[in-house]
Amino acid sequence: VRAAWLAQHPLEDGVLAIAGDISPREAIDTIAALVRRVETDPVAAGGDLGDQSTRRWSGDAANTLRWPASTRSQVVRSATVQQQAHLRMLFRGVPVHDARVPALRILMAVLGDQSGRLFAALREDEGLVYSVGAKSVEALEGGYLAIAASTRHDRVAKVRRKIRQVLIDLREEGIRPEELRRATRTLVSEHERGRQRRMRLSIELAMRAVSNRPWAEFGQFPRTLRTVTRQDVQEVARALLDPASAVEVCSRNPKGSG
């Protein structure tokens, strides 16, 4: 594992960010000692991983990322007995530098929050799921969107149909003005809370250094969110949340029905 990590994620490609009250000199000395210990560890020299150690971020997602050629639903039956079935629906996302990220964040809030459309349609209205949510992950060369639901084995098919209908309605009708206002307030509040946490600040510092984005962008995010329109959100939904392009995985009891 250590050899694979060093080969695929060499230290010279890394960015370390520290937020808090520290002595820069002591921090640098401590880190340098750790790096020397890793580089001289004989365990790290083992394993044949080809030429992956020379890989660099190209920024060309088409050349570095692979998406399944087939988008047929996939059902994975677990070897262990489970009380619940877990449905995952995945979509191709966007990289961190994509201009649509603010609108995508609002879209995910409208879908996945406890006051969001998925929760209302699947839990409040009919009690079909134990839990349901949506998230977006943006990385350097691409990303993905995920919808996750836990339900009874005999309800999987109905839950799948309900999720697909929520997405179709969202793509066709867009979001309501009150949904845009609520999602924006929620995201701005989360952002301001995050600015008070050193862990969040260090992560944002590192991500912006790696992706070559200005630090000022982080502080301006609430202002950017407030410029997002309902049309922006609908366009993102139409571009990314096409049920026909989803990759579905369902983990269930081998004896489960549905």
Side-chain angles (χ1 to χ4, degrees), residues 186-230:
T186 298
L187 291 170
V188 169
S189 176
E190 291 176 355
H191 177 85
E192 296 301 335
R193 290 198 304 271
R195 292 181 65 178
Q196 300 176 41
R197 300 176 57 202
R198 292 173 178 174
M199 175 73 76
R200 174 69 181 278
L201 292 177
S202 63
I203 291 173
E204 294 292 341
L205 278 167
M207 280 298 295
R208 276 159 177 73
V210 169
S211 57
N212 195 28
R213 292 179 295 149
W215 171 245
E217 180 184 80
F218 178 61
Q220 295 167 357
F221 192 62
R223 186 186 309 168
T224 304
L225 280 172
R226 294 188 179 102
T227 67
V228 174
T229 67
R230 294 164 57 200

mmCIF file of all heavy atoms in Angstrom, residues 186-230:
data_model
loop_
_atom_site.group_PDB
_atom_site.id
_atom_site.type_symbol
_atom_site.label_atom_id
_atom_site.label_comp_id
_atom_site.label_asym_id
_atom_site.label_seq_id
_atom_site.Cartn_x
_atom_site.Cartn_y
_atom_site.Cartn_z
ATOM 1 N N THR A 186 -28.905 28.311 3.071
ATOM 2 C CA THR A 186 -28.273 27.151 3.718
ATOM 3 C C THR A 186 -26.797 27.060 3.361
ATOM 4 O O THR A 186 -25.934 26.863 4.231
ATOM 5 C CB THR A 186 -28.989 25.859 3.300
ATOM 6 O OG1 THR A 186 -30.356 25.907 3.731
ATOM 7 C CG2 THR A 186 -28.316 24.637 3.920
ATOM 8 N N LEU A 187 -26.476 27.209 2.087
ATOM 9 C CA LEU A 187 -25.092 27.086 1.647
ATOM 10 C C LEU A 187 -24.227 28.236 2.159
ATOM 11 O O LEU A 187 -23.064 28.023 2.534
ATOM 12 C CB LEU A 187 -25.036 27.025 0.125
ATOM 13 C CG LEU A 187 -25.612 25.753 -0.498
ATOM 14 C CD1 LEU A 187 -25.739 25.901 -2.005
ATOM 15 C CD2 LEU A 187 -24.760 24.546 -0.149
ATOM 16 N N VAL A 188 -24.772 29.435 2.185
ATOM 17 C CA VAL A 188 -24.014 30.571 2.721
ATOM 18 C C VAL A 188 -23.743 30.358 4.209
ATOM 19 O O VAL A 188 -22.630 30.609 4.695
ATOM 20 C CB VAL A 188 -24.776 31.888 2.489
ATOM 21 C CG1 VAL A 188 -24.140 33.024 3.282
ATOM 22 C CG2 VAL A 188 -24.794 32.234 1.004
ATOM 23 N N SER A 189 -24.738 29.865 4.939
ATOM 24 C CA SER A 189 -24.548 29.599 6.369
ATOM 25 C C SER A 189 -23.477 28.532 6.593
ATOM 26 O O SER A 189 -22.603 28.679 7.460
ATOM 27 C CB SER A 189 -25.876 29.145 6.982
ATOM 28 O OG SER A 189 -25.722 28.784 8.334
ATOM 29 N N GLU A 190 -23.511 27.456 5.804
ATOM 30 C CA GLU A 190 -22.495 26.405 5.927
ATOM 31 C C GLU A 190 -21.111 26.952 5.611
ATOM 32 O O GLU A 190 -20.121 26.599 6.273
ATOM 33 C CB GLU A 190 -22.836 25.254 4.988
ATOM 34 C CG GLU A 190 -24.060 24.460 5.388
ATOM 35 C CD GLU A 190 -24.410 23.396 4.374
ATOM 36 O OE1 GLU A 190 -23.740 23.351 3.312
ATOM 37 O OE2 GLU A 190 -25.334 22.610 4.630
ATOM 38 N N HIS A 191 -21.029 27.803 4.605
ATOM 39 C CA HIS A 191 -19.746 28.390 4.221
ATOM 40 C C HIS A 191 -19.182 29.250 5.356
ATOM 41 O O HIS A 191 -17.986 29.144 5.694
ATOM 42 C CB HIS A 191 -19.920 29.241 2.969
ATOM 43 C CG HIS A 191 -18.676 29.943 2.541
ATOM 44 N ND1 HIS A 191 -17.716 29.361 1.751
ATOM 45 C CD2 HIS A 191 -18.216 31.204 2.815
ATOM 46 C CE1 HIS A 191 -16.726 30.203 1.546
ATOM 47 N NE2 HIS A 191 -17.008 31.336 2.169
ATOM 48 N N GLU A 192 -20.012 30.078 5.960
ATOM 49 C CA GLU A 192 -19.535 30.957 7.031
ATOM 50 C C GLU A 192 -19.118 30.156 8.249
ATOM 51 O O GLU A 192 -18.139 30.512 8.915
ATOM 52 C CB GLU A 192 -20.625 31.976 7.391
ATOM 53 C CG GLU A 192 -20.974 32.944 6.260
ATOM 54 C CD GLU A 192 -19.775 33.760 5.803
ATOM 55 O OE1 GLU A 192 -18.832 33.963 6.592
ATOM 56 O OE2 GLU A 192 -19.768 34.203 4.632
ATOM 57 N N ARG A 193 -19.829 29.085 8.546
ATOM 58 C CA ARG A 193 -19.405 28.223 9.664
ATOM 59 C C ARG A 193 -18.068 27.571 9.343
ATOM 60 O O ARG A 193 -17.199 27.446 10.209
ATOM 61 C CB ARG A 193 -20.460 27.156 9.948
ATOM 62 C CG ARG A 193 -21.733 27.697 10.559
ATOM 63 C CD ARG A 193 -22.536 26.579 11.226
ATOM 64 N NE ARG A 193 -22.841 25.497 10.302
ATOM 65 C CZ ARG A 193 -23.920 25.444 9.533
ATOM 66 N NH1 ARG A 193 -24.791 26.449 9.561
ATOM 67 N NH2 ARG A 193 -24.146 24.422 8.739
ATOM 68 N N GLY A 194 -17.904 27.146 8.072
ATOM 69 C CA GLY A 194 -16.652 26.512 7.683
ATOM 70 C C GLY A 194 -15.455 27.437 7.797
ATOM 71 O O GLY A 194 -14.343 26.997 8.108
ATOM 72 N N ARG A 195 -15.663 28.726 7.557
ATOM 73 C CA ARG A 195 -14.562 29.689 7.649
ATOM 74 C C ARG A 195 -14.046 29.823 9.080
ATOM 75 O O ARG A 195 -12.954 30.352 9.292
ATOM 76 C CB ARG A 195 -15.027 31.060 7.151
ATOM 77 C CG ARG A 195 -15.319 31.086 5.661
ATOM 78 C CD ARG A 195 -15.744 32.450 5.195
ATOM 79 N NE ARG A 195 -14.677 33.436 5.341
ATOM 80 C CZ ARG A 195 -14.787 34.703 4.964
ATOM 81 N NH1 ARG A 195 -15.930 35.133 4.438
ATOM 82 N NH2 ARG A 195 -13.784 35.533 5.099
ATOM 83 N N GLN A 196 -14.777 29.350 10.047
ATOM 84 C CA GLN A 196 -14.359 29.422 11.442
ATOM 85 C C GLN A 196 -13.664 28.146 11.908
ATOM 86 O O GLN A 196 -13.251 28.059 13.066
ATOM 87 C CB GLN A 196 -15.582 29.689 12.328
ATOM 88 C CG GLN A 196 -16.310 30.990 11.993
ATOM 89 C CD GLN A 196 -17.563 31.185 12.797
ATOM 90 O OE1 GLN A 196 -17.592 30.899 13.998
ATOM 91 N NE2 GLN A 196 -18.615 31.664 12.170
ATOM 92 N N ARG A 197 -13.529 27.179 11.013
ATOM 93 C CA ARG A 197 -12.895 25.909 11.377
ATOM 94 C C ARG A 197 -11.540 25.790 10.684
ATOM 95 O O ARG A 197 -11.435 25.954 9.466
ATOM 96 C CB ARG A 197 -13.791 24.728 10.979
ATOM 97 C CG ARG A 197 -15.143 24.734 11.647
ATOM 98 C CD ARG A 197 -15.990 23.597 11.139
ATOM 99 N NE ARG A 197 -15.326 22.305 11.332
ATOM 100 C CZ ARG A 197 -15.623 21.217 10.636
ATOM 101 N NH1 ARG A 197 -16.516 21.268 9.678
ATOM 102 N NH2 ARG A 197 -14.994 20.087 10.880
ATOM 103 N N ARG A 198 -10.509 25.505 11.459
ATOM 104 C CA ARG A 198 -9.164 25.415 10.891
ATOM 105 C C ARG A 198 -9.028 24.250 9.925
ATOM 106 O O ARG A 198 -8.299 24.343 8.933
ATOM 107 C CB ARG A 198 -8.140 25.302 12.017
ATOM 108 C CG ARG A 198 -8.039 26.581 12.840
ATOM 109 C CD ARG A 198 -7.150 26.412 14.041
ATOM 110 N NE ARG A 198 -7.042 27.656 14.782
ATOM 111 C CZ ARG A 198 -6.412 27.770 15.955
ATOM 112 N NH1 ARG A 198 -5.842 26.708 16.491
ATOM 113 N NH2 ARG A 198 -6.353 28.930 16.571
ATOM 114 N N MET A 199 -9.709 23.160 10.199
ATOM 115 C CA MET A 199 -9.663 22.017 9.286
ATOM 116 C C MET A 199 -10.169 22.418 7.906
ATOM 117 O O MET A 199 -9.548 22.120 6.876
ATOM 118 C CB MET A 199 -10.508 20.866 9.838
ATOM 119 C CG MET A 199 -10.622 19.678 8.895
ATOM 120 S SD MET A 199 -9.104 18.709 8.778
ATOM 121 C CE MET A 199 -9.196 17.825 10.334
ATOM 122 N N ARG A 200 -11.296 23.118 7.867
ATOM 123 C CA ARG A 200 -11.859 23.545 6.584
ATOM 124 C C ARG A 200 -10.918 24.513 5.874
ATOM 125 O O ARG A 200 -10.716 24.430 4.658
ATOM 126 C CB ARG A 200 -13.220 24.208 6.823
ATOM 127 C CG ARG A 200 -13.854 24.841 5.589
ATOM 128 C CD ARG A 200 -14.309 23.801 4.572
ATOM 129 N NE ARG A 200 -14.886 24.431 3.391
ATOM 130 C CZ ARG A 200 -16.135 24.874 3.307
ATOM 131 N NH1 ARG A 200 -16.957 24.743 4.342
ATOM 132 N NH2 ARG A 200 -16.568 25.421 2.198
ATOM 133 N N LEU A 201 -10.332 25.437 6.604
ATOM 134 C CA LEU A 201 -9.431 26.403 5.988
ATOM 135 C C LEU A 201 -8.207 25.724 5.382
ATOM 136 O O LEU A 201 -7.772 26.076 4.282
ATOM 137 C CB LEU A 201 -8.998 27.451 7.015
ATOM 138 C CG LEU A 201 -10.093 28.404 7.510
ATOM 139 C CD1 LEU A 201 -9.536 29.326 8.581
ATOM 140 C CD2 LEU A 201 -10.676 29.217 6.359
ATOM 141 N N SER A 202 -7.657 24.756 6.083
ATOM 142 C CA SER A 202 -6.464 24.074 5.566
ATOM 143 C C SER A 202 -6.805 23.281 4.308
ATOM 144 O O SER A 202 -6.026 23.247 3.349
ATOM 145 C CB SER A 202 -5.865 23.163 6.642
ATOM 146 O OG SER A 202 -6.768 22.138 7.013
ATOM 147 N N ILE A 203 -7.978 22.648 4.292
ATOM 148 C CA ILE A 203 -8.393 21.900 3.102
ATOM 149 C C ILE A 203 -8.567 22.846 1.914
ATOM 150 O O ILE A 203 -8.116 22.564 0.793
ATOM 151 C CB ILE A 203 -9.699 21.136 3.383
ATOM 152 C CG1 ILE A 203 -9.439 20.006 4.381
ATOM 153 C CG2 ILE A 203 -10.289 20.584 2.083
ATOM 154 C CD1 ILE A 203 -10.690 19.309 4.855
ATOM 155 N N GLU A 204 -9.213 23.974 2.144
ATOM 156 C CA GLU A 204 -9.439 24.924 1.054
ATOM 157 C C GLU A 204 -8.121 25.514 0.550
ATOM 158 O O GLU A 204 -7.940 25.716 -0.653
ATOM 159 C CB GLU A 204 -10.375 26.042 1.523
ATOM 160 C CG GLU A 204 -11.789 25.586 1.847
ATOM 161 C CD GLU A 204 -12.546 25.142 0.615
ATOM 162 O OE1 GLU A 204 -12.135 25.500 -0.499
ATOM 163 O OE2 GLU A 204 -13.561 24.431 0.766
ATOM 164 N N LEU A 205 -7.197 25.796 1.456
ATOM 165 C CA LEU A 205 -5.884 26.296 1.052
ATOM 166 C C LEU A 205 -5.179 25.294 0.140
ATOM 167 O O LEU A 205 -4.636 25.656 -0.914
ATOM 168 C CB LEU A 205 -5.026 26.582 2.286
ATOM 169 C CG LEU A 205 -5.239 27.905 3.006
ATOM 170 C CD1 LEU A 205 -4.541 27.868 4.365
ATOM 171 C CD2 LEU A 205 -4.708 29.064 2.175
ATOM 172 N N ALA A 206 -5.187 24.031 0.556
ATOM 173 C CA ALA A 206 -4.504 23.002 -0.222
ATOM 174 C C ALA A 206 -5.165 22.801 -1.581
ATOM 175 O O ALA A 206 -4.492 22.708 -2.614
ATOM 176 C CB ALA A 206 -4.483 21.687 0.562
ATOM 177 N N MET A 207 -6.494 22.738 -1.595
ATOM 178 C CA MET A 207 -7.195 22.509 -2.853
ATOM 179 C C MET A 207 -6.946 23.627 -3.854
ATOM 180 O O MET A 207 -6.770 23.388 -5.049
ATOM 181 C CB MET A 207 -8.694 22.374 -2.583
ATOM 182 C CG MET A 207 -9.116 21.013 -2.080
ATOM 183 S SD MET A 207 -8.768 19.677 -3.268
ATOM 184 C CE MET A 207 -9.858 20.131 -4.631
ATOM 185 N N ARG A 208 -6.907 24.856 -3.372
ATOM 186 C CA ARG A 208 -6.687 25.968 -4.285
ATOM 187 C C ARG A 208 -5.253 26.020 -4.781
ATOM 188 O O ARG A 208 -4.992 26.426 -5.919
ATOM 189 C CB ARG A 208 -7.115 27.276 -3.623
ATOM 190 C CG ARG A 208 -8.589 27.510 -3.783
ATOM 191 C CD ARG A 208 -9.209 28.458 -2.791
ATOM 192 N NE ARG A 208 -10.614 28.630 -3.128
ATOM 193 C CZ ARG A 208 -11.560 27.717 -2.925
ATOM 194 N NH1 ARG A 208 -11.234 26.561 -2.370
ATOM 195 N NH2 ARG A 208 -12.811 27.927 -3.270
ATOM 196 N N ALA A 209 -4.331 25.604 -3.955
ATOM 197 C CA ALA A 209 -2.938 25.549 -4.409
ATOM 198 C C ALA A 209 -2.768 24.471 -5.477
ATOM 199 O O ALA A 209 -2.108 24.686 -6.501
ATOM 200 C CB ALA A 209 -2.018 25.282 -3.225
ATOM 201 N N VAL A 210 -3.369 23.308 -5.249
ATOM 202 C CA VAL A 210 -3.237 22.199 -6.197
ATOM 203 C C VAL A 210 -3.918 22.520 -7.526
ATOM 204 O O VAL A 210 -3.409 22.185 -8.604
ATOM 205 C CB VAL A 210 -3.827 20.909 -5.585
ATOM 206 C CG1 VAL A 210 -3.957 19.822 -6.646
ATOM 207 C CG2 VAL A 210 -2.946 20.415 -4.448
ATOM 208 N N SER A 211 -5.078 23.163 -7.460
ATOM 209 C CA SER A 211 -5.847 23.433 -8.681
ATOM 210 C C SER A 211 -5.554 24.802 -9.276
ATOM 211 O O SER A 211 -6.200 25.213 -10.236
ATOM 212 C CB SER A 211 -7.348 23.324 -8.390
ATOM 213 O OG SER A 211 -7.727 24.214 -7.349
ATOM 214 N N ASN A 212 -4.581 25.509 -8.681
ATOM 215 C CA ASN A 212 -4.144 26.805 -9.214
ATOM 216 C C ASN A 212 -5.297 27.802 -9.295
ATOM 217 O O ASN A 212 -5.492 28.489 -10.293
ATOM 218 C CB ASN A 212 -3.518 26.627 -10.609
ATOM 219 C CG ASN A 212 -2.730 27.861 -11.033
ATOM 220 O OD1 ASN A 212 -2.213 28.599 -10.191
ATOM 221 N ND2 ASN A 212 -2.636 28.102 -12.330
ATOM 222 N N ARG A 213 -6.070 27.883 -8.198
ATOM 223 C CA ARG A 213 -7.164 28.845 -8.124
ATOM 224 C C ARG A 213 -6.871 29.851 -7.026
ATOM 225 O O ARG A 213 -6.257 29.515 -6.009
ATOM 226 C CB ARG A 213 -8.492 28.140 -7.843
ATOM 227 C CG ARG A 213 -8.984 27.269 -8.983
ATOM 228 C CD ARG A 213 -10.290 26.595 -8.603
ATOM 229 N NE ARG A 213 -10.096 25.673 -7.499
ATOM 230 C CZ ARG A 213 -11.035 25.404 -6.583
ATOM 231 N NH1 ARG A 213 -12.200 26.010 -6.632
ATOM 232 N NH2 ARG A 213 -10.798 24.539 -5.615
ATOM 233 N N PRO A 214 -7.302 31.094 -7.174
ATOM 234 C CA PRO A 214 -6.979 32.127 -6.189
ATOM 235 C C PRO A 214 -7.686 31.893 -4.856
ATOM 236 O O PRO A 214 -8.844 31.460 -4.815
ATOM 237 C CB PRO A 214 -7.475 33.418 -6.853
ATOM 238 C CG PRO A 214 -8.532 32.966 -7.803
ATOM 239 C CD PRO A 214 -8.097 31.631 -8.300
ATOM 240 N N TRP A 215 -6.981 32.227 -3.774
ATOM 241 C CA TRP A 215 -7.558 32.068 -2.442
ATOM 242 C C TRP A 215 -8.762 32.988 -2.251
ATOM 243 O O TRP A 215 -9.722 32.651 -1.547
ATOM 244 C CB TRP A 215 -6.503 32.355 -1.377
ATOM 245 C CG TRP A 215 -7.053 32.421 0.019
ATOM 246 C CD1 TRP A 215 -7.094 33.507 0.836
ATOM 247 C CD2 TRP A 215 -7.648 31.349 0.757
ATOM 248 N NE1 TRP A 215 -7.682 33.192 2.036
ATOM 249 C CE2 TRP A 215 -8.035 31.865 2.009
ATOM 250 C CE3 TRP A 215 -7.905 30.004 0.472
ATOM 251 C CZ2 TRP A 215 -8.653 31.097 2.988
ATOM 252 C CZ3 TRP A 215 -8.538 29.233 1.437
ATOM 253 C CH2 TRP A 215 -8.898 29.767 2.677
ATOM 254 N N ALA A 216 -8.751 34.147 -2.884
ATOM 255 C CA ALA A 216 -9.857 35.097 -2.735
ATOM 256 C C ALA A 216 -11.185 34.484 -3.181
ATOM 257 O O ALA A 216 -12.256 34.896 -2.717
ATOM 258 C CB ALA A 216 -9.570 36.360 -3.530
ATOM 259 N N GLU A 217 -11.126 33.504 -4.054
ATOM 260 C CA GLU A 217 -12.328 32.846 -4.557
ATOM 261 C C GLU A 217 -13.131 32.224 -3.418
ATOM 262 O O GLU A 217 -14.369 32.207 -3.456
ATOM 263 C CB GLU A 217 -11.921 31.785 -5.573
ATOM 264 C CG GLU A 217 -13.049 31.012 -6.204
ATOM 265 C CD GLU A 217 -12.514 29.932 -7.114
ATOM 266 O OE1 GLU A 217 -12.118 28.863 -6.598
ATOM 267 O OE2 GLU A 217 -12.478 30.152 -8.334
ATOM 268 N N PHE A 218 -12.451 31.723 -2.406
ATOM 269 C CA PHE A 218 -13.127 31.087 -1.273
ATOM 270 C C PHE A 218 -13.984 32.098 -0.521
ATOM 271 O O PHE A 218 -15.149 31.847 -0.212
ATOM 272 C CB PHE A 218 -12.088 30.454 -0.336
ATOM 273 C CG PHE A 218 -12.684 29.825 0.894
ATOM 274 C CD1 PHE A 218 -13.580 28.776 0.787
ATOM 275 C CD2 PHE A 218 -12.342 30.284 2.156
ATOM 276 C CE1 PHE A 218 -14.123 28.187 1.923
ATOM 277 C CE2 PHE A 218 -12.883 29.706 3.293
ATOM 278 C CZ PHE A 218 -13.770 28.656 3.178
ATOM 279 N N GLY A 219 -13.425 33.241 -0.236
ATOM 280 C CA GLY A 219 -14.173 34.261 0.490
ATOM 281 C C GLY A 219 -15.318 34.853 -0.317
ATOM 282 O O GLY A 219 -16.305 35.336 0.245
ATOM 283 N N GLN A 220 -15.206 34.809 -1.644
ATOM 284 C CA GLN A 220 -16.226 35.386 -2.512
ATOM 285 C C GLN A 220 -17.354 34.410 -2.835
ATOM 286 O O GLN A 220 -18.319 34.785 -3.519
ATOM 287 C CB GLN A 220 -15.578 35.852 -3.821
ATOM 288 C CG GLN A 220 -14.590 36.992 -3.647
ATOM 289 C CD GLN A 220 -13.742 37.214 -4.882
ATOM 290 O OE1 GLN A 220 -13.842 36.473 -5.862
ATOM 291 N NE2 GLN A 220 -12.892 38.233 -4.839
ATOM 292 N N PHE A 221 -17.254 33.190 -2.342
ATOM 293 C CA PHE A 221 -18.234 32.169 -2.705
ATOM 294 C C PHE A 221 -19.676 32.551 -2.348
ATOM 295 O O PHE A 221 -20.588 32.347 -3.165
ATOM 296 C CB PHE A 221 -17.873 30.831 -2.074
ATOM 297 C CG PHE A 221 -18.659 29.671 -2.618
ATOM 298 C CD1 PHE A 221 -18.564 29.316 -3.951
ATOM 299 C CD2 PHE A 221 -19.496 28.942 -1.798
ATOM 300 C CE1 PHE A 221 -19.291 28.248 -4.463
ATOM 301 C CE2 PHE A 221 -20.228 27.880 -2.301
ATOM 302 C CZ PHE A 221 -20.128 27.528 -3.637
ATOM 303 N N PRO A 222 -19.954 33.114 -1.154
ATOM 304 C CA PRO A 222 -21.338 33.515 -0.868
ATOM 305 C C PRO A 222 -21.884 34.518 -1.879
ATOM 306 O O PRO A 222 -23.042 34.412 -2.311
ATOM 307 C CB PRO A 222 -21.238 34.140 0.537
ATOM 308 C CG PRO A 222 -20.064 33.467 1.155
ATOM 309 C CD PRO A 222 -19.088 33.296 0.028
ATOM 310 N N ARG A 223 -21.061 35.479 -2.278
ATOM 311 C CA ARG A 223 -21.498 36.455 -3.267
ATOM 312 C C ARG A 223 -21.782 35.778 -4.607
ATOM 313 O O ARG A 223 -22.762 36.104 -5.289
ATOM 314 C CB ARG A 223 -20.428 37.532 -3.444
ATOM 315 C CG ARG A 223 -20.834 38.682 -4.361
ATOM 316 C CD ARG A 223 -19.669 39.616 -4.595
ATOM 317 N NE ARG A 223 -19.043 40.024 -3.336
ATOM 318 C CZ ARG A 223 -17.875 40.656 -3.254
ATOM 319 N NH1 ARG A 223 -17.205 40.941 -4.370
ATOM 320 N NH2 ARG A 223 -17.377 40.992 -2.083
ATOM 321 N N THR A 224 -20.938 34.815 -4.961
ATOM 322 C CA THR A 224 -21.158 34.090 -6.212
ATOM 323 C C THR A 224 -22.450 33.281 -6.158
ATOM 324 O O THR A 224 -23.211 33.228 -7.136
ATOM 325 C CB THR A 224 -19.974 33.149 -6.497
ATOM 326 O OG1 THR A 224 -18.759 33.901 -6.508
ATOM 327 C CG2 THR A 224 -20.141 32.451 -7.830
ATOM 328 N N LEU A 225 -22.721 32.649 -5.013
ATOM 329 C CA LEU A 225 -23.948 31.875 -4.868
ATOM 330 C C LEU A 225 -25.184 32.740 -5.097
ATOM 331 O O LEU A 225 -26.151 32.311 -5.723
ATOM 332 C CB LEU A 225 -24.024 31.256 -3.472
ATOM 333 C CG LEU A 225 -23.227 29.983 -3.217
ATOM 334 C CD1 LEU A 225 -23.268 29.640 -1.742
ATOM 335 C CD2 LEU A 225 -23.782 28.832 -4.043
ATOM 336 N N ARG A 226 -25.133 33.961 -4.598
ATOM 337 C CA ARG A 226 -26.304 34.837 -4.698
ATOM 338 C C ARG A 226 -26.562 35.307 -6.129
ATOM 339 O O ARG A 226 -27.616 35.875 -6.401
ATOM 340 C CB ARG A 226 -26.127 36.032 -3.756
ATOM 341 C CG ARG A 226 -26.123 35.646 -2.280
ATOM 342 C CD ARG A 226 -26.139 36.872 -1.377
ATOM 343 N NE ARG A 226 -26.148 36.496 0.031
ATOM 344 C CZ ARG A 226 -25.077 36.521 0.821
ATOM 345 N NH1 ARG A 226 -23.906 36.928 0.325
ATOM 346 N NH2 ARG A 226 -25.165 36.163 2.085
ATOM 347 N N THR A 227 -25.627 35.090 -7.022
ATOM 348 C CA THR A 227 -25.844 35.471 -8.424
ATOM 349 C C THR A 227 -26.457 34.337 -9.241
ATOM 350 O O THR A 227 -26.834 34.544 -10.403
ATOM 351 C CB THR A 227 -24.521 35.896 -9.094
ATOM 352 O OG1 THR A 227 -23.644 34.756 -9.194
ATOM 353 C CG2 THR A 227 -23.839 37.001 -8.298
ATOM 354 N N VAL A 228 -26.555 33.142 -8.654
ATOM 355 C CA VAL A 228 -27.091 31.988 -9.371
ATOM 356 C C VAL A 228 -28.596 32.162 -9.556
ATOM 357 O O VAL A 228 -29.317 32.523 -8.628
ATOM 358 C CB VAL A 228 -26.795 30.685 -8.613
ATOM 359 C CG1 VAL A 228 -27.479 29.499 -9.298
ATOM 360 C CG2 VAL A 228 -25.295 30.444 -8.539
ATOM 361 N N THR A 229 -29.073 31.888 -10.752
ATOM 362 C CA THR A 229 -30.493 32.011 -11.070
ATOM 363 C C THR A 229 -31.145 30.636 -11.171
ATOM 364 O O THR A 229 -30.466 29.603 -11.260
ATOM 365 C CB THR A 229 -30.696 32.752 -12.394
ATOM 366 O OG1 THR A 229 -30.177 31.937 -13.464
ATOM 367 C CG2 THR A 229 -29.973 34.091 -12.391
ATOM 368 N N ARG A 230 -32.464 30.634 -11.180
ATOM 369 C CA ARG A 230 -33.199 29.385 -11.355
ATOM 370 C C ARG A 230 -32.866 28.749 -12.702
ATOM 371 O O ARG A 230 -32.771 27.523 -12.812
ATOM 372 C CB ARG A 230 -34.702 29.645 -11.234
ATOM 373 C CG ARG A 230 -35.144 30.078 -9.844
ATOM 374 C CD ARG A 230 -36.532 30.694 -9.880
ATOM 375 N NE ARG A 230 -37.498 29.770 -10.443
ATOM 376 C CZ ARG A 230 -38.670 30.148 -10.947
ATOM 377 N NH1 ARG A 230 -38.987 31.434 -11.002
ATOM 378 N NH2 ARG A 230 -39.510 29.249 -11.433
#
